[in-house]
C-alpha cells in the first residue's frame, strides 16, 4: 500500500501521495473533502501506468502552508516536483474543486504540463456552489469546528446500503431507482470507502471562498492562459456540479474538448462507464 509523505517547501509542508509508474508523471488534484490519499480518480492514471503525484491542497491533510489560493499554491507544486526529480509532466488533472488548481498549474507558474484534464470541475468562470443554499450552509456545516462530527456521522450512515444510497442520491440528478441496481458490490464498496475517507479539515472553507462571483475575472484569466490541449469530462446526471461549468471550461479554455459521460452521479470514476473513460484518457494522454 502506497502511503503519503510530507515534502518541505518554502511555505511549509505539502502532503502528497507518490505512486511510481513507467509512464510520465500525472499531477493530480483531488476535489473538496479529499486529501492526497483519497482515491477520487487518481487510480485511473496509475492503472494506465503513469507515475502519479496526488496533492493534499491547502487546508487538507498534512499540508501546512496556510490559506493559499490555487494561484499561490502553484509555485509550491513546482517545488515538490523539483524535490521528486520530476521534469516531465504528462498532465495536470483536477477533480471537482481541484480543477482550479489544475488550471493554474497548466496556465504556468509551476511545472510545465503537456495536457490539462478536468473531471466534473467547478468553479469555472461561474460561481460555485451552484445554489444559494449550498453557498450559505457549506461554510457552516463543513467548518473546521463542525466537520469532524459531520463526517463521523457520514461514516456511520454509509455502513448500510440504505445509508449509502441516501448519500449517493445527493450527488445525482437521477432517481436512485434508475441506477442503484446497476452498481456492483465492488462499486458500492468503493463509494463507501470514499465517504469513509472524506474530511473537510480547513480546506473546504478555503475552497468555497475561491468560488465567489468576485473572482470570476481572475478565473477567466487563468483559464484563458492555458495553452496545452485540454480534456473536460462531465455528466448531466451530476448532482454535485452543474454541467454548465464543463461547458464554460470548454468555451473559455483555448484548446479544450468536452466529453460528456453517462455517469449517474458526481463520482464519475465508479461504475460501468469506467472502461470507456479509461479508453478516453489513454487516447488523450498517450505519450
Amino acid at each position: 500500500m502506497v502511503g503519503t509523505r510530507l515534502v518541505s517547501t518554502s511555505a511549509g509542508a505539502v502532503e502528497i501521495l507518490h505512486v511510481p509508474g513507467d509512464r510520465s508523471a500525472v499531477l493530480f488534484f483531488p476535489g473538496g473533502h479529499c486529501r492526497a490519499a483519497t482515491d477520487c480518480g487518481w487510480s485511473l492514471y496509475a492503472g494506465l501506468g503513469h507515475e502519479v503525484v496526488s496533492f493534499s491542497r491547502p487546508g487538507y491533510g498534512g499540508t501546512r502552508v496556510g490559506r493559499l489560493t490555487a494561484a499561490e499554491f502553484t509555485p509550491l507544486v513546482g517545488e515538490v516536483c523539483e524535490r521528486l526529480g520530476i521534469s516531465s509532466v504528462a498532465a495536470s488533472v483536477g477533480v471537482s474543486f481541484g480543477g482550479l488548481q489544475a488550471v493554474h498549474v497548466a496556465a504556468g507558474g509551476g511545472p510545465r504540463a503537456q495536457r490539462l484534464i478536468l473531471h466534473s470541475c467547478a468553479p469555472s468562470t461561474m460561481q460555485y456552489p451552484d445554489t444559494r443554499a449550498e453557498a450559505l450552509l457549506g461554510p457552516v456545516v463543513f467548518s473546521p469546528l463542525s466537520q469532524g462530527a459531520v463526517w463521523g456521522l457520514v461514516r456511520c450512515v454509509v455502513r448500510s446500503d440504505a445509508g449509502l444510497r441516501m448519500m449517493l442520491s445527493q450527488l445525482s440528478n437521477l432517481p436512485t431507482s434508475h441506477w442503484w441496481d446497476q452498481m456492483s458490490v465492488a462499486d458500492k464498496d468503493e463509494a463507501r470507502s470514499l465517504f469513509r475517507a472524506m474530511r473537510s479539515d480547513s480546506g473546504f472553507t478555503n475552497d468555497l471562498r475561491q468560488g465567489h462571483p468576485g473572482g470570476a475575472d481572475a478565473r477567466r484569466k487563468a483559464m484563458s492562459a492555458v495553452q496545452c490541449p485540454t480534456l473536460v469530462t462531465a455528466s448531466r446526471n451530476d448532482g454535485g456540479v452543474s454541467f454548465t461549468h464543463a461547458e464554460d471550461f470548454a468555451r473559455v479554455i483555448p484548446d479544450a474538448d468536452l466529453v460528456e459521460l453517462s455517469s449517474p452521479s458526481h463520482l464519475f470514476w465508479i461504475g460501468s462507464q469506467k472502461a470507456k473513460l479509461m479508453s478516453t484518457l489513454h487516447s488523450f494522454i498517450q505519450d
Side-chain angles (χ1 to χ4, degrees):
M1 181 70 179
V2 180
T4 58
R5 57 179 284 199
L6 298 179
V7 178
S8 296
T9 72
S10 58
V14 173
E15 182 182 69
I16 64 166
L17 179 81
H18 187 198
V19 183
D22 296 327
R23 303 183 71 188
S24 52
V26 166
L27 306 184
F28 189 89
F29 302 100
H33 313 300
C34 296
R35 59 192 294 178
T38 310
D39 186 4
C40 55
W42 61 256
S43 59
L44 296 174
Y45 296 91
L48 291 173
H50 286 276
E51 177 181 9
V52 175
V53 183
S54 178
F55 289 77
S56 291
R57 296 182 293 106
Y60 289 105
T63 293
R64 296 290 184 269
V65 296
R67 286 167 52 85
L68 298 186
T69 64
E72 293 165 340
F73 188 61
T74 298
L76 304 187
V77 173
E79 291 183 32
V80 170
C81 289
E82 186 175 352
R83 291 282 186 125
L84 297 177
I86 294 173
S87 57
S88 177
V89 175
S92 174
V93 180
V95 172
S96 195
F97 252 132
L100 188 58
Q101 187 63 65
V103 164
H104 275 279
V105 169
R112 182 179 177 275
Q114 297 174 23
R115 289 169 178 79
L116 170 63
I117 303 176
L118 301 174
H119 296 297
S120 306
C121 287
S124 57
T125 64
M126 301 182 300
Q127 71 180 68
Y128 186 79
D130 294 315
T131 68
R132 180 170 175 77
E134 291 173 321
L136 292 173
L137 291 175
V140 177
V141 175
F142 298 110
S143 73
L145 292 177
S146 61
Q147 62 89 31
V150 170
W151 289 112
L153 177 60
V154 169
R155 286 191 286 274
C156 291
V157 167
V158 299
R159 289 175 183 169
S160 69
D161 273 6
L164 178 63
R165 180 171 177 162
M166 181 190 70
M167 291 299 300
L168 288 173
S169 71
Q170 307 304 307
L171 300 176
S172 177
N173 292 325
L174 295 173
T176 54
S177 59
H178 286 202
W179 49 265
W180 175 257
D181 290 339
Q182 298 173 20
M183 293 185 71
S184 66
V185 172
D187 292 337
K188 293 173 184 176
D189 286 345
E190 188 172 0
R192 186 174 281 112
S193 295
L194 174 72
F195 283 117
R196 286 174 173 167
M198 283 181 161
R199 286 187 63 86
S200 307
D201 300 327
S202 62
F204 194 68
T205 54
N206 192 45
D207 287 341
L208 290 173
R209 73 185 181 94
Q210 296 178 70
H212 289 172
D217 288 343
R219 296 195 295 272
R220 181 181 297 277
K221 182 178 180 180
M223 291 160 60
S224 300
V226 174
Q227 298 301 311
C228 60
T230 299
L231 173 66
V232 181
T233 74
S235 170
R236 295 181 190 273
N237 303 324
D238 187 342
V241 172
S242 170
F243 189 78
T244 55
H245 286 282
E247 293 175 316
D248 191 50
F249 279 120
R251 181 170 53 249
V252 177
I253 296 173
D255 185 12
D257 289 321
L258 171 57
V259 173
E260 184 173 343
L261 304 178
S262 60
S263 312
S265 77
H266 189 54
L267 310 187
F268 66 93
W269 67 97
I270 298 177
S272 59
Q273 74 286 341
K274 183 175 180 178
K276 181 180 179 180
L277 176 60
M278 291 277 286
S279 177
T280 299
L281 295 178
H282 176 72
S283 298
F284 179 74
I285 201 175
Q286 60 185 336
D287 295 335

